[in-house]
Amino acid sequence: MDAYDQAHPSLARAMAELLVRGNVILEDHSLLESEVGDRFEAFVFHVLAEHSIGKEAFAATLIAYERLRDTIDQLDQLPP
């Protein structure tokens, strides 16, 4: 986790987590592919742009976040 935290700005990490979790919630309520989903995504990208976090930097953060989650999920599957 420390390497992930050090490699990516905290706002980019927060927005990556928000995007992933928010998309899951919106999908659960059949809202992801609607105006609500579009506005949610626009909000995330607006916040990133306001803080000068480019799409490439955010994409790298999002990929790293997904890899971190996958690793944690795999570790949780190991017997104690």
Side-chain angles (χ1 to χ4, degrees):
M1 289 272 294
D2 289 339
Y4 170 73
D5 290 348
Q6 292 174 2
H8 305 281
S10 62
L11 182 62
R13 295 190 319 266
M15 290 293 108
E17 187 173 347
L18 180 64
L19 183 64
V20 170
R21 289 179 184 223
N23 283 348
V24 169
I25 292 167
L26 291 173
E27 182 66 31
D28 286 348
H29 295 279
S30 301
L31 294 170
L32 184 59
E33 300 298 328
S34 72
E35 183 179 349
V36 173
D38 293 342
R39 287 179 180 226
F40 173 67
E41 184 178 287
F43 164 75
V44 170
F45 287 112
H46 175 77
V47 170
L48 292 167
E50 270 189 343
H51 291 86
S52 302
I53 297 173
K55 289 182 180 180
E56 289 178 9
F58 182 63
T61 303
L62 193 55
I63 290 167
Y65 175 70
E66 290 289 344
R67 286 184 183 152
L68 179 62
R69 285 187 51 197
D70 289 344
T71 301
I72 290 170
D73 289 345
Q74 289 174 358
L75 291 173
D76 286 344
Q77 299 298 320
L78 294 175

